[in-house]
Amino acid sequence: MSLVVIGSVAYDGIETPHGKRERTLGGACTYIALSASYFTPSSIVAVVGEDFASEDRQLLTAKGIDLEGLEQVPGKTFFWSGVYSDDMNDRTTLRTDLNVFAGFQPKLPASYAAQPYLFLGNIQPVLQSEVQNQMPALRFVGGDTMNYWIKDFRDDLLAAIRGWDFLLINDSEARMLSGANNLRKAAQKILDLGPSTLVIKRGEYGAMLFRRDSLFMVPGYLLEDIFDPTGAGDCFAGGFVGYLAERGFDLRNGNFDLSELHRAVIYGSVMGSFCCEQFGTERFKTLTRKEIDARFDEFRRFTAF
Amino acid sequence: MSLVVIGSVAYDGIETPHGKRERTLGGACTYIALSASYFTPSSIVAVVGEDFASEDRQLLTAKGIDLEGLEQVPGKTFFWSGVYSDDMNDRTTLRTDLNVFAGFQPKLPASYAAQPYLFLGNIQPVLQSEVQNQMPALRFVGGDTMNYWIKDFRDDLLAAIRGWDFLLINDSEARMLSGANNLRKAAQKILDLGPSTLVIKRGEYGAMLFRRDSLFMVPGYLLEDIFDPTGAGDCFAGGFVGYLAERGFDLRNGNFDLSELHRAVIYGSVMGSFCCEQFGTERFKTLTRKEIDARFDEFRRFTAF
């Protein structure tokens, strides 16, 4: 079943203790769609500038990603650069040039409107709502946000997520959105805001899925080398929603298997872990579904008791 | 099967956002023995001063803990006090009065010498070795240490742990001991030092168990309220080794079930989580084995996929 992903396509400059890339393909929408493409046909709605390279377009199309919604406009593509601390637990942003992304007005191609799965990447909440309203046949919709929207566009954000099935954020965002420091309390408050499913990502410490009457937790996959954590959270999102789309997960019709949601969290964790193994999106050049399923099995082995 | 625990018995002054205790029973040995007592007969080797209260002695004996090795000498009992930050992720030590603990020379009662399980709490490594050398019938021995011994008594510590079956430390200690920041690499280096089993505690983020050819991970139990985290790591240790003693775990004779070690990590996590629910050791006044087993089952429910 097809998934539509909205968000940023960007170029990133990244420096970690393992090396440096001056300019490599990035952006939340890119990572989410690449990750989800291992599970389900994916389409993106995003904007790039005239500098968007044909080899990057090819990487996406080679994964079967539908680029009809990738608008190319005069100007430069969103550029971000940052440097990670030695232990890679912190990063400092060096530069954020929004460029063409500053005026991003998502345009949903007509061919996307009937698709059943939608992931709303981190953009202005009003735009997230506008896209969702154009898709009448959704089975499962949700997305991500960030501190900026939580703090300064709270009403817009609350209006947007009221219509979501799931919200997928990190622990500091969950605390900020709910006003509660304890994650169990934070989760209960967020579930009151609309989404029936909340996924809280904790980076190397794993992830948790909350619903009104259930909780699921998974520790982080322990990599031998974390090469570059950029995009790991977005790859988690892509694995999570991509797997559910593959399974034809149908939350809105009430006929669903809770354990599918749990397995989706594992696939999210798996995809996030692969992302960290090379710079930027580079791991996706060679990653296979077979490797993904093998790591899923490893998760089972490492956590069963 | 009986367990001997060596370490500190202390009084603690604790302040958390939930309240304050001027003076409450604490010390690693106390927490470990109390926690282990739910699984196996436990004996302690420790020292207290003349101020050690009879009600504290009674709390321990009520749990069936053998106090023959609890030496009472002139002077005051070890006293520590500290205050936790608002999110309880940091704590500041206000006072450390070693008192009678400064001259602690563990004296193993003759009746303890033949016991099969030994947990060496965090004391000077030479003393840890001396105790171990007096116990010829050990089936499973290991312990804890801290940054001070790792940094300034490294040779003594390496000599001690060479003879241990397991080492149970937190993630920053594992990094310091191994010199590796990545925990997977750190674990491999530590397994080269002697212990065939390494347990790394990560507080609210859970725990990991490493052996040469296996890895087991568990996320932290998510409490609604963390009242006071003091002693949680020691209660983890008590649950871990106590459960294995209950099962008659026999690592040294090579005839053991790996999944018992995994379940021991879960029982450790369970005991650590209960410890945080009230101040100091107070939770142990009412805790029952039935509650413990129910939380073990909850762990299974929260992590199965």
Side-chain angles (χ1 to χ4, degrees):
Chain A
M1 306 286 259
S2 277
L3 166 72
V4 177
V5 182
I6 320 290
S8 59
V9 171
Y11 284 115
D12 293 341
I14 302 169
E15 187 172 349
T16 82
H18 295 287
K20 198 171 172 172
R21 289 289 181 280
E22 293 293 347
R23 182 180 169 88
T24 186
L25 179 63
C29 183
T30 308
Y31 283 106
I32 298 164
L34 278 171
S35 174
S37 73
Y38 285 85
F39 303 92
T40 192
S42 303
S43 318
I44 69 177
V45 176
V47 65
V48 291
E50 294 153 322
D51 57 350
F52 194 66
S54 63
E55 71 257 31
D56 293 321
R57 190 177 285 273
Q58 277 157 25
L59 172 65
L60 298 172
T61 52
K63 298 289 176 195
I65 298 170
D66 183 333
L67 301 186
E68 192 187 339
L70 180 65
E71 194 185 0
Q72 194 159 17
V73 300
K76 284 187 168 179
T77 302
F78 182 9
F79 180 81
W80 171 88
S81 68
V83 56
Y84 286 86
S85 62
D86 280 351
D87 63 5
M88 279 186 279
N89 287 330
D90 294 297
R91 74 176 187 195
T92 307
T93 291
L94 300 175
R95 207 167 135 184
T96 306
D97 300 336
L98 291 175
N99 297 328
V100 300
F101 190 64
F104 180 42
Q105 291 287 338
K107 293 179 191 63
L108 194 77
S111 64
Y112 291 12
Q115 292 188 11
Y117 298 95
L118 172 62
F119 191 94
L120 296 155
N122 163 35
I123 57 172
Q124 144 76 279
V126 169
L127 299 178
Q128 291 177 317
S129 298
E130 281 174 13
V131 172
Q132 182 175 353
N133 292 339
Q134 296 170 56
M135 296 181 69
L138 289 171
R139 284 187 176 198
F140 194 54
V141 54
D144 192 5
T145 190
M146 70 183 290
N147 49 5
Y148 178 61
W149 311 119
I150 296 172
K151 199 162 154 284
D152 294 340
F153 292 79
R154 192 175 176 85
D155 289 344
D156 292 344
L157 178 64
L158 294 182
I161 68 176
R162 201 166 298 133
W164 295 4
D165 300 308
F166 69 95
L167 176 65
L168 198 154
I169 51 181
N170 68 34
D171 41 6
S172 68
E173 290 158 353
R175 291 187 169 111
M176 192 185 227
L177 177 59
S178 65
N181 186 56
N182 178 290
L183 287 181
R184 199 153 188 160
K185 287 182 178 161
Q188 292 311 311
K189 284 173 187 266
I190 291 170
L191 292 174
D192 287 339
L193 301 176
S196 58
T197 298
L198 168 68
V199 180
I200 297 182
K201 299 172 289 179
R202 310 177 96 184
E204 65 163 320
Y205 299 117
M208 297 180 287
L209 181 141
F210 296 88
R211 289 174 51 81
R212 188 68 63 197
D213 50 5
S214 72
L215 165 62
F216 176 68
M217 308 184 289
V218 62
Y221 184 83
L222 206 60
L223 285 167
E224 184 87 31
D225 272 306
I226 298 174
F227 217 76
D228 170 18
T230 310
D234 296 318
C235 290
F236 182 107
F240 175 78
V241 70
Y243 171 75
L244 290 171
E246 178 184 47
R247 303 297 299 171
F249 188 77
D250 196 356
L251 187 89
R252 297 199 160 191
N253 294 321
N255 178 22
F256 69 94
D257 178 357
L258 185 63
S259 62
E260 290 286 18
L261 278 175
H262 299 175
R263 285 191 282 275
V265 172
I266 303 296
Y267 273 110
S269 305
V270 165
M271 298 309 289
S273 74
F274 278 118
C275 178
C276 297
E277 292 183 345
Q278 289 183 28
F279 269 107
T281 57
E282 289 172 14
R283 185 65 178 87
F284 293 105
K285 290 181 182 164
T286 58
L287 183 66
T288 65
R289 178 63 187 258
K290 198 174 161 189
E291 289 176 293
I292 293 167
D293 288 333
R295 189 161 291 180
F296 180 93
D297 292 340
E298 244 186 311
F299 256 101
R300 208 188 280 282
R301 219 160 52 241
F302 290 167
T303 60
F305 63 91
Chain B
M1 306 287 260
S2 278
L3 166 72
V4 176
V5 183
I6 321 288
S8 59
V9 171
Y11 284 114
D12 293 341
I14 303 168
E15 187 172 349
T16 82
H18 294 288
K20 197 171 172 172
R21 289 289 180 281
E22 292 294 346
R23 182 181 169 89
T24 187
L25 180 63
C29 183
T30 308
Y31 283 107
I32 298 164
L34 278 171
S35 174
S37 73
Y38 285 86
F39 303 91
T40 193
S42 303
S43 318
I44 70 177
V45 176
V47 65
V48 291
E50 294 152 322
D51 57 349
F52 193 66
S54 63
E55 70 256 32
D56 292 322
R57 189 177 286 271
Q58 277 157 27
L59 172 66
L60 299 171
T61 51
K63 298 291 176 195
I65 298 170
D66 183 333
L67 300 186
E68 192 187 339
L70 179 65
E71 194 184 0
Q72 193 159 17
V73 300
K76 284 187 169 180
T77 301
F78 182 9
F79 179 81
W80 171 88
S81 69
V83 56
Y84 286 86
S85 62
D86 280 351
D87 64 5
M88 279 186 279
N89 286 330
D90 294 298
R91 74 176 186 193
T92 307
T93 290
L94 300 176
R95 207 167 136 183
T96 305
D97 300 337
L98 291 176
N99 297 328
V100 300
F101 190 63
F104 180 41
Q105 291 288 338
K107 293 178 191 65
L108 195 76
S111 63
Y112 291 11
Q115 292 188 10
Y117 298 96
L118 173 62
F119 191 94
L120 296 156
N122 162 36
I123 58 172
Q124 144 77 279
V126 168
L127 299 178
Q128 290 177 318
S129 299
E130 282 174 15
V131 172
Q132 182 175 352
N133 292 339
Q134 295 169 58
M135 296 181 68
L138 289 172
R139 286 187 175 197
F140 193 56
V141 53
D144 191 6
T145 190
M146 70 183 288
N147 50 5
Y148 178 61
W149 311 119
I150 296 172
K151 198 163 154 285
D152 294 340
F153 292 79
R154 193 175 176 84
D155 290 343
D156 291 344
L157 179 64
L158 293 181
I161 68 175
R162 201 167 298 132
W164 294 5
D165 300 307
F166 70 96
L167 175 65
L168 198 154
I169 51 182
N170 68 35
D171 41 7
S172 68
E173 290 158 353
R175 291 186 168 111
M176 191 185 228
L177 177 59
S178 65
N181 186 55
N182 178 292
L183 288 181
R184 200 153 186 157
K185 288 182 178 161
Q188 292 311 311
K189 283 173 187 265
I190 291 170
L191 292 175
D192 287 338
L193 300 177
S196 58
T197 298
L198 168 67
V199 179
I200 297 182
K201 300 171 290 178
R202 310 177 95 185
E204 65 164 319
Y205 298 118
M208 297 181 288
L209 182 142
F210 296 87
R211 289 173 53 81
R212 187 69 61 198
D213 51 5
S214 73
L215 164 62
F216 176 68
M217 308 183 289
V218 63
Y221 184 83
L222 207 59
L223 285 167
E224 183 87 32
D225 273 306
I226 298 174
F227 216 76
D228 170 18
T230 310
D234 296 318
C235 290
F236 182 108
F240 174 78
V241 69
Y243 171 75
L244 290 170
E246 178 184 46
R247 304 297 297 172
F249 187 78
D250 195 357
L251 187 89
R252 296 200 160 191
N253 294 320
N255 177 24
F256 70 93
D257 178 357
L258 186 62
S259 61
E260 292 284 19
L261 278 175
H262 298 176
R263 285 191 282 275
V265 172
I266 303 296
Y267 274 110
S269 305
V270 165
M271 297 310 288
S273 74
F274 278 118
C275 178
C276 297
E277 291 183 346
Q278 291 183 26
F279 270 107
T281 56
E282 290 172 15
R283 185 65 177 88
F284 292 105
K285 291 181 182 165
T286 59
L287 183 66
T288 65
R289 178 64 187 257
K290 198 174 161 189
E291 289 176 293
I292 292 167
D293 289 332
R295 188 162 291 180
F296 180 93
D297 292 340
E298 246 186 308
F299 256 101
R300 207 187 281 283
R301 219 159 52 241
F302 290 167
T303 60
F305 62 91

